[in-house]
Amino acid sequence: MNAENVKAIIFDMDGTLLDSLSVWADSDREFLNGLGLEYNSECSLAMKKMHFDSACEYLVREYSLPFSAEETGKKILAIVEEHYITAVPLKDGAEEFLEYAKKCGVKMCVATSNKKSLAEAALRSRGIMKYFEFVLTSDEVGCGKESPEIFLKASEMLGAKPSETVVFEDSIHAVMSAKEAGFRVAGIYEKLCEGEFEEIKKFADMTAMSFAEILKEYTE
């Protein structure tokens, strides 16, 4: 890999590897509309910063839902699962970049705020689970990506120091968290977080509109 001292890569999944954020937003809308409530896109963006259980607790509070956070989560996941595994595409150039990194001997993993079973099923259905050593979730480390704990744990499991590891993310809070912990950070454009991209450019070591753009830079 044409990047000095890169031993490992940690990938976010939703909005980074997978073009999946619209599925979550649409599922939130379907769930709330079914209760006669108006969907608020600002809430969806706020929940992107949280791991799943915290996002469900947030929904219950914001909309005064007649369900527990656990019940809310089950209802939303039931909607998501109908579309998520088979309908969500990879981001442009993602698989080609993964293949290139694998050939270069770089160890890779996924660090996500998604549910582990859903994340692994989605990665398998897209044919890219084979590239990763493991999937690590926010639930497993006990906090969201506003803390660098998930990145620190992932790099430890990959056997690499933060300075030897690149984190690929599409959210400013995760980019800042990883950067402050000493990781090298690559910011990937996500249309639903477009407003954050200029801010991401201030903190990330590199940014790109797609993996295809990054791969072209590495291989030329």
Side-chain angles (χ1 to χ4, degrees), residues 189-203:
Y189 174 80
E190 163 52 48
K191 58 183 178 295
L192 292 184
C193 301
E194 187 171 14
E196 296 183 355
F197 198 56
E198 289 303 313
E199 194 69 13
I200 287 173
K201 290 179 181 179
K202 298 176 183 178
F203 294 93

Side-chain angles (χ1 to χ4, degrees), residues 12 15-16 21 48 167-177 179 185-209:
D12 171 54
T16 300
L21 290 188
K48 188 178 184 303
V167 173
F168 280 82
E169 276 284 355
D170 68 306
S171 298
I172 183 60
H173 71 285
V175 167
M176 292 177 66
S177 179
K179 187 63 179 174
V185 182
I188 295 293
Y189 174 80
E190 163 52 48
K191 58 183 178 295
L192 292 184
C193 301
E194 187 171 14
E196 296 183 355
F197 198 56
E198 289 303 313
E199 194 69 13
I200 287 173
K201 290 179 181 179
K202 298 176 183 178
F203 294 93
D205 295 283
M206 69 170 295
T207 56
M209 298 299 290

Side-chain angles (χ1 to χ4, degrees), residues 27-80:
S27 298
D28 294 341
R29 182 184 293 106
E30 183 177 340
F31 170 67
L32 292 169
N33 289 350
L35 298 172
L37 298 170
E38 185 177 352
Y39 171 79
N40 183 338
S41 59
E42 293 300 316
C43 286
S44 185
L45 289 175
M47 289 188 291
K48 188 178 184 303
K49 301 177 182 179
M50 309 172 190
H51 62 76
F52 184 76
D53 292 341
S54 296
C56 292
E57 291 170 2
Y58 174 85
L59 268 182
V60 170
R61 290 195 307 271
E62 289 297 308
Y63 287 92
S64 300
L65 298 180
F67 312 113
S68 68
E70 182 178 359
E71 291 171 323
T72 297
K74 288 179 179 179
K75 292 176 183 296
I76 292 174
L77 282 176
I79 297 170
V80 170

Side-chain angles (χ1 to χ4, degrees), residues 86-102:
T86 58
V88 172
L90 291 172
K91 283 293 194 75
D92 183 30
E95 185 166 9
E96 292 81 359
F97 181 80
L98 291 171
E99 182 64 27
Y100 174 73
K102 181 181 179 180

Side-chain angles (χ1 to χ4, degrees), residues 130-158:
K130 62 186 178 182
Y131 293 108
F132 306 115
E133 303 291 320
F134 55 85
V135 173
L136 184 66
T137 70
S138 294
D139 284 343
E140 290 176 298
V141 298
C143 57
K145 291 182 179 178
E146 69 281 354
S147 164
E149 184 60 31
I150 192 169
F151 303 122
L152 292 169
K153 181 64 176 177
S155 63
E156 178 185 350
M157 291 171 67
L158 289 170

